[in-house]
Amino acid sequence: MPHRQIVRNITSGQLSPVYVLHGEEPFFISEIVKTLLGTVVDEGLKDFNETVLYGRDTDVDEVLAAARRFPMMSDRQLVMVKEAQDMRMWKRKDDMAKLEAYASEPVPTTVLVFAHPHKKVDSRLKAVKTMSRLGTLFLSDKVRDYKLSQWISGHASARRCRLGCQSPVYGAGGVGRIIETQRIFLRFDRISPIIIFILVISRFGIRYINRKSNTEDLSDLLFILRRRNKRDI
């Protein structure tokens, strides 16, 4: 299921009891996480019904204990495990058996989320198969260079933006990849007046991305664009 469809499902109230968000591209995982954090629990009830844990600082027992609690003054609670790739449970048979037992009979008032960026979970694990069958398993793949312009257009449309360019955005694969200097006008209809962002893709920025091509991802690309945008406006 595409990440945009998952986001639409969440905002419309179609929530899964368990989410496993994994893969090499952290941007899409981050988008889903932000939507869950902004949707599942009302702002005034977050102190009672929203638990955020971090993989390296928690274990399966703490996560499941939180998941088995019942919400206070709310229809549901959110238990979010960020950086879940750092949890030791993925390589421990007993821990995975505990997770599989919970995933088989999840608490209906809990939304349990494992945000597992930069790495894939082992889809052969019984617990993962159960979470995929009864919940949502999302694999976030890297966006290939030749699909970047298509992704930018789709991302703008998903945010109800009108995208106009002085010239088409294009990319060329290989070492000589270049995106010509241009301005991309994104027009967002938000809560308050229309906000217009002018994102300037410069040769400097593209050279930086080229040098870091083995490690950079969409989150880094957007960070560079936002930083240059602040300087140029």
Side-chain angles (χ1 to χ4, degrees):
M1 184 185 299
H3 91 285
R4 293 193 190 100
Q5 183 60 55
I6 295 175
V7 168
R8 283 194 291 268
N9 288 349
I10 294 168
T11 54
S12 66
Q14 301 176 50
L15 297 167
S16 296
V18 182
Y19 290 84
V20 181
L21 314 173
H22 69 121
E24 296 178 357
E25 179 51 69
F27 178 80
F28 302 123
I29 294 173
S30 176
E31 289 283 288
I32 297 171
V33 165
K34 285 189 290 187
T35 304
L36 286 163
L37 289 171
T39 304
V40 176
V41 179
D42 291 339
E43 188 65 34
L45 298 173
K46 286 181 178 290
D47 289 344
F48 303 104
N49 299 304
E50 186 173 283
T51 302
V52 178
L53 304 169
Y54 288 85
R56 67 178 59 192
D57 301 322
T58 191
D59 57 32
V60 68
D61 292 324
E62 182 180 14
V63 171
L64 296 184
R68 289 190 172 106
R69 290 198 297 262
F70 290 99
M72 294 179 61
M73 300 177 290
S74 178
D75 294 333
R76 56 183 175 250
Q77 68 156 341
L78 173 66
V79 178
M80 173 76 65
V81 184
K82 294 186 175 182
E83 300 172 9
Q85 72 276 13
D86 294 331
M87 292 188 72
R88 297 184 181 90
M89 71 172 186
W90 303 108
K91 296 182 179 180
R92 293 179 175 176
K93 187 176 180 180
D94 291 345
D95 286 354
M96 294 309 292
K98 294 177 184 178
L99 182 58
E100 197 275 330
Y102 176 85
S104 298
E105 297 182 14
V107 176
T109 54
T110 295
V111 176
L112 175 60
V113 183
F114 293 98
H116 190 293
H118 304 294
K119 294 181 180 179
K120 297 180 182 179
V121 299
D122 187 346
S123 59
R124 299 169 298 178
L125 295 170
K126 188 176 180 181
V128 175
K129 291 180 179 179
T130 301
M131 289 188 289
S132 176
R133 186 174 72 253
L134 300 178
T136 297
L137 179 68
F138 170 69
L139 175 59
S140 183
D141 284 324
K142 286 279 188 183
V143 176
R144 305 302 177 190
D145 293 345
Y146 65 89
K147 289 185 176 181
L148 269 177
S149 60
Q150 177 184 350
W151 177 84
I152 291 171
S153 298
H155 186 65
S157 298
R159 291 179 177 268
R160 298 179 181 179
C161 309
R162 287 185 294 176
L163 179 63
C165 299
Q166 292 178 352
S167 58
V169 179
Y170 70 92
V175 178
R177 179 180 58 192
I178 296 175
I179 300 178
E180 290 294 333
T181 303
Q182 61 200 278
R183 291 178 184 269
I184 303 174
F185 297 89
L186 298 180
R187 187 167 180 171
F188 292 81
D189 293 323
R190 297 252 175 140
I191 300 174
S192 48
I194 295 173
I195 302 172
I196 300 177
F197 293 88
I198 302 176
L199 305 181
V200 181
I201 304 178
S202 71
R203 294 181 186 277
F204 170 81
I206 297 306
R207 289 196 190 103
Y208 175 82
I209 294 169
N210 282 338
R211 291 200 304 271
K212 302 288 186 178
S213 59
N214 292 330
T215 57
E216 295 301 325
D217 51 43
L218 280 178
S219 300
D220 298 306
L221 173 59
L222 293 179
F223 171 77
I224 292 169
L225 293 177
R226 289 181 187 130
R227 184 177 61 189
R228 290 194 61 79
N229 180 43
K230 289 178 182 178
R231 282 210 306 264
D232 293 334
I233 291 178

